């Protein structure tokens, strides 16, 4: 298997973890207007930043960012080091470093092995406006306001495991640039770090690959970070837990994610996992995935929905085809399995007839 596909749910309670553009003295939350009302959301960019910063808190050295270009509101850029050999976040999250025209420098880019959708509220929400006053020691109080909400935010994700630590080299006509490193760059960095990178063919293109030990370590950092996830705006006023309340994931041979309708919301009871839908999807994709389906479900979150789900999938749970545990336990076990080599089959594309 090559791809880890899944869906996660973050429970936001009286929070405003990702704000839009402010209006006058009021901070606005982001929302999507849909036919049944307003659905607040957290952008994938914000959530990916939370994961990156949690990785740093856990000891990962981040790729340095440099702001270049003109003044605010005009042509401007910010680049990381664009060095995925030395910096794990450049490898996992991708980058684009545009070269300066005056120097005739090449643009270097890498699309992200870790893909994450928008964390969108499963149900329409009435957004709350909060009014504040700063009046300490000033004769005329300063007025301000902001918005917040309570919602269960749902997003799909996909991790292209073989791409981790693997960098294709562009041909003369530019093919391969989305994973770009020149062979000289890659082998020079690798030699300097004594990591033993080698050349290989990857998906029909020449590539440089880091050793399996390093690729295992890098892959394990993502579930490890999500198991300890923190971040978001307005934490002083709306502190909240960011570790997923619910998630479902499984390895697939191709870059598909069939869990789009597995997690939904009942109008009366809220977010749930549809056991009947999950069973039908797994049957439809038979041969394209390997058990177990890993489900993380926090105690106290939608207990009735969990009881209903476990009844629907009683047979699969008994057989071990579906494993249900705390999200943190599931994620940390997955990180350990990746790092300790028990899932090495995930790091290469499956053979096709």
């Amino acid at each position: 298997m090559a791809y880890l596909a899944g869906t996660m749910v973050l429970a936001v309670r009286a929070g405003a973890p990702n704000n839009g553009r402010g209006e006058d003295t009021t901070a606005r939350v982001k929302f999507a207007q849909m036919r049944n009302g307003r659905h607040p959301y957290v952008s994938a960019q914000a959530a990916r930043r939370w994961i990156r910063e949690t990785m740093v808190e856990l000891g990962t050295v981040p790729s340095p960012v440099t702001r270049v270009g003109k003044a605010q509101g005009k042509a401007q850029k910010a680049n990381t080091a664009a060095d995925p050999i030395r910096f794990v976040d450049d490898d996992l999250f991708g980058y684009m470093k545009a070269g300066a025209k005056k120097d005739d420098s090449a643009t270097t880019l890498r699309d992200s092995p870790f893909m994450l959708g928008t964390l969108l509220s499963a149900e329409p929400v009435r957004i709350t406006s909060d009014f504040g006053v700063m009046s300490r020691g000033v004769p005329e109080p300063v007025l301000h306001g902001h918005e917040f909400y309570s919602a269960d935010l749902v997003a799909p994700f996909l991790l292209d495991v073989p791409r981790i630590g693997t960098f294709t080299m562009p041909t003369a006509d530019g093919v391969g640039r989305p994973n770009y490193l020149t062979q000289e760059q890659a082998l020079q960095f690798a030699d300097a770090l004594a990591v033993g990178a080698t050349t290989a063919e990857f998906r029909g293109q020449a590539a440089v690959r880091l050793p399996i030990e390093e690729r295992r370590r890098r892959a394990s950092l993502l579930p490890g970070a999500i198991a300890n996830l923190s971040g978001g705006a307005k934490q002083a006023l709306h502190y909240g837990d960011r570790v997923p309340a619910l998630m479902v994931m499984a390895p697939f041979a191709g870059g598909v994610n069939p869990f789009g309708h597995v997690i939904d919301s009942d109008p009366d009871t809220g977010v749930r996992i549809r056991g009947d839908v999950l069973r039908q999807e797994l049957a439809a994709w038979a041969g394209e995935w390997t058990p177990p389906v890993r489900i993380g479900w926090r105690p106290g979150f939608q207990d009735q929905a969990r009881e209903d789900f476990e009844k629907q999938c009683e047979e699969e749970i008994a057989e071990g085809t579906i494993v249900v545990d705390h999200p943190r336990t599931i994620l940390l076990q997955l990180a350990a399995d990746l790092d300790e080599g028990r899932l090495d089959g995930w790091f290469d594309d499956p053979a096709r007839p």
Side-chain angles (χ1 to χ4, degrees):
M1 297 296 127
Y3 296 84
L4 179 65
T7 298
M8 68 173 72
V9 178
L10 267 59
V12 175
R13 298 293 176 261
N18 185 209
N19 294 321
R21 184 185 294 271
E23 297 179 5
D24 297 325
T25 59
T26 300
R28 304 291 186 188
V29 302
K30 296 178 178 179
F31 68 87
Q33 184 70 49
M34 301 173 70
R35 63 181 181 274
N36 59 348
R38 293 182 175 184
H39 291 246
Y41 69 87
V42 168
S43 70
Q45 179 187 18
R48 283 161 58 91
R49 178 174 177 175
W50 301 349
I51 297 171
R52 292 175 86 132
E53 292 180 345
T54 301
M55 287 171 53
V56 173
E57 292 171 5
L58 296 175
T60 300
V61 177
S63 181
V65 177
T66 303
R67 191 184 189 282
V68 296
K70 299 180 180 179
Q72 192 78 22
K74 298 183 179 180
Q76 53 184 313
K77 295 177 288 187
N79 298 326
T80 67
D83 182 353
I85 299 292
R86 288 192 295 169
F87 298 108
V88 177
D89 56 339
D90 274 344
D91 182 6
L92 296 177
F93 295 95
Y95 53 81
M96 184 181 77
K97 185 174 184 178
K101 289 183 178 179
K102 64 181 180 66
D103 299 328
D104 195 26
S105 301
T107 293
T108 302
L109 64 155
R110 171 172 175 78
D111 56 349
S112 175
F114 176 61
M115 293 151 270
L116 177 67
T118 299
L119 285 149
L120 182 67
S121 174
E123 300 175 297
V125 168
R126 187 182 297 275
I127 296 172
T128 300
S129 295
D130 186 42
F131 179 72
V133 178
M134 171 59 177
S135 58
R136 296 193 308 274
V138 293
E140 187 172 344
V142 177
L143 310 180
H144 59 89
H146 73 277
E147 297 177 333
F148 66 91
Y149 60 89
S150 293
D152 296 321
L153 310 181
V154 185
F157 63 88
L158 186 71
L159 178 62
D160 186 349
V161 182
R163 283 265 319 285
I164 297 171
T166 301
F167 314 105
T168 56
M169 295 175 286
T171 62
D173 58 3
V175 174
R177 290 184 67 83
N179 305 288
Y180 170 81
L181 273 185
T182 66
Q183 184 170 354
E184 290 80 4
Q185 283 176 315
L187 293 178
Q188 181 180 0
F189 287 137
D191 182 63
L193 295 174
V195 296
T198 57
T199 56
E201 183 175 300
F202 181 71
R203 297 176 183 171
Q205 295 176 236
V208 172
R209 302 197 86 177
L210 298 181
I212 185 62
E213 294 82 7
E214 176 63 10
R215 287 184 280 140
R216 289 172 185 158
R217 184 186 74 84
R218 292 184 176 201
S220 72
L221 293 174
L222 277 172
I226 297 172
N228 294 278
L229 191 61
S230 62
K234 297 284 184 186
Q235 294 237 31
L237 299 177
H238 295 295
Y239 170 75
D241 187 16
R242 300 290 173 250
V243 175
L246 178 63
M247 62 190 317
V248 54
M249 53 187 173
F252 282 80
V256 299
N257 190 328
F259 299 133
H261 301 291
V262 169
I263 294 182
D264 69 3
S265 182
D266 181 271
D268 297 321
T269 60
V271 167
R272 61 182 177 175
I273 295 183
R274 291 277 302 277
D276 57 334
V277 174
L278 177 59
R279 295 177 70 176
Q280 291 178 59
E281 288 286 3
L282 295 178
W285 292 95
E288 294 292 312
W289 65 280
T290 57
V293 176
R294 296 166 170 85
I295 293 178
W297 204 317
R298 298 189 78 163
F301 180 77
Q302 300 290 34
D303 286 337
Q304 184 58 56
R306 177 170 181 168
E307 183 178 333
D308 294 340
F309 169 77
E310 291 181 348
K311 287 179 180 177
Q312 291 175 324
C313 297
E314 184 177 4
E315 181 178 340
E316 289 81 1
I317 293 172
E319 294 172 348
T321 304
I322 295 174
V323 174
V324 185
D325 207 332
H326 193 289
R328 179 174 168 79
T329 303
I330 290 286
L331 289 162
L332 291 179
Q333 184 60 58
L334 176 61
D337 288 344
L338 287 164
D339 192 37
E340 295 168 16
R342 289 187 285 273
L343 299 174
D344 279 0
W346 292 14
F347 288 87
D348 289 296
D349 290 325
R352 294 289 189 180

